[in-house]
Amino acid sequence: MCLIAFAWQAHPRWRLLLAGNRDEFHARPSAPLARWSDLPIIGGRDLEAGGTWLGVAQAGRCCVVTNVRDPRDPQQGVSRGLLATDYLVGADDATEHAQKLLAAASGYRPFNLLTFDTEHGFYIGNRPSSRAQLIDPGVHGLSNADFNTPWPKTRALMKRLQAWMDAGHEVDFAPLFRALADERQAPDELLPDTGVGLERERWLSSAFIRGELYGTRASTIVAIGYDGKGLIVERRFGPEGRFEGESELPL
């Protein structure tokens, strides 16, 4: 998952409302949104590492993971592939989990992790250094940089999520999916410099990335109410943005 905007304890109906795109190589095998048969998780599944990039579990727990875009980083350490799964099936609440993971975070490959339970939300990351941050109520964003780094596409998605809430929407997620499907690229003067070159920075600056080998694989909306009930909706895409299906599951 490489672009996320979410409202935490800021919507009258939804304790957590999250909209995100997962960008990945199209050749990497993945299973669509489903209730897992072996673990109490609802989410898509990475069939290569066995984990998930975004999942929901019992008692309103939710977790999302992204990598950190820096080609200069040696990418050494423990795989981040099971970070989300470990939280979702673990016994620790978000606070306890954040405290324990922070002590070991430096040993993992570069990651950003968002964890939520019924009371608290946390951001945990290990680049440029390890830190855990309690998430305040409000609208936040995350891509492949530090929490709330103001990349153009992150700010744009946060703005559209805020507009969706200001319009009084509750279950009409079409405007959010349109925001996730936005292919407009940011002006050069607003692009970050993450070491991948100007042409690639331009290509990666849109919310939806269309490509033959790499691009947006899934757009997902998660809505969890204060009572723990809600839904998760996933739209899937293949090479060059070809639509491959949609799934919706109640929570």
Side-chain angles (χ1 to χ4, degrees):
M1 179 82 61
C2 294
L3 175 62
I4 303 160
F6 66 92
W8 172 242
Q9 297 178 341
H11 188 278
R13 178 171 179 180
W14 305 118
R15 173 166 40 87
L16 173 65
L17 179 65
L18 182 149
N21 277 343
R22 179 206 181 204
D23 305 325
E24 180 57 85
F25 287 100
H26 289 292
R28 190 175 180 110
S30 302
L33 172 68
R35 297 181 186 274
W36 295 13
S37 60
D38 56 334
L39 293 172
I41 292 175
I42 301 174
R45 194 165 197 172
D46 176 18
L47 298 179
E48 186 170 302
T52 186
W53 54 94
L54 185 159
V56 178
Q58 72 281 358
R61 293 161 69 93
C62 181
C63 191
V64 189
V65 64
T66 80
N67 62 9
V68 178
R69 189 200 307 168
D70 186 352
R72 297 157 292 199
D73 194 293
Q75 299 286 318
Q76 295 175 346
V78 180
S79 171
R80 59 186 166 256
L82 296 178
L83 280 170
T85 308
D86 289 345
Y87 169 69
L88 291 171
V89 301
D92 293 333
D93 62 23
T95 303
E96 294 167 333
H97 172 268
Q99 293 170 345
K100 292 179 181 178
L101 180 57
L102 181 61
S106 61
Y108 283 84
R109 295 174 190 173
F111 74 86
N112 294 310
L113 192 71
L114 298 173
T115 60
F116 304 93
D117 61 21
T118 57
E119 299 292 334
H120 300 108
F122 276 87
Y123 162 78
I124 307 105
N126 66 347
R127 293 298 188 277
S129 60
S130 299
R131 69 185 181 98
Q133 176 180 334
L134 181 68
I135 298 173
D136 295 327
V139 174
H140 302 274
L142 179 66
S143 187
N144 300 109
D146 201 0
F147 185 49
N148 280 330
T149 295
W151 282 4
K153 66 179 182 181
T154 310
R155 289 185 299 179
L157 187 59
M158 290 170 61
K159 183 178 180 179
R160 293 177 76 166
L161 175 56
Q162 184 65 61
W164 185 90
M165 295 197 303
D166 291 343
H169 290 300
E170 289 193 356
V171 293
D172 178 12
F173 300 127
L176 296 180
F177 276 117
R178 285 196 294 270
L180 293 171
D182 191 347
E183 296 187 54
R184 290 176 293 178
Q185 297 181 354
D188 287 356
E189 64 269 20
L190 298 180
L191 294 175
D193 181 5
T194 61
V196 299
L198 180 58
E199 184 176 353
R200 192 166 181 84
E201 294 285 9
R202 289 169 177 160
W203 180 53
L204 295 174
S205 70
S206 59
F208 189 93
I209 299 171
R210 186 182 299 270
E212 178 61 33
L213 301 179
Y214 179 91
T216 298
R217 297 280 304 273
S219 295
T220 308
I221 305 292
V222 177
I224 303 176
Y226 294 92
D227 60 357
K229 298 179 180 179
L231 72 161
I232 179 170
V233 188
E234 177 188 83
R235 292 182 179 178
R236 295 175 294 279
F237 306 92
E240 297 297 350
R242 182 180 67 248
F243 179 70
E244 293 190 337
E246 177 175 330
S247 302
E248 178 178 326
L249 291 175
L251 303 178

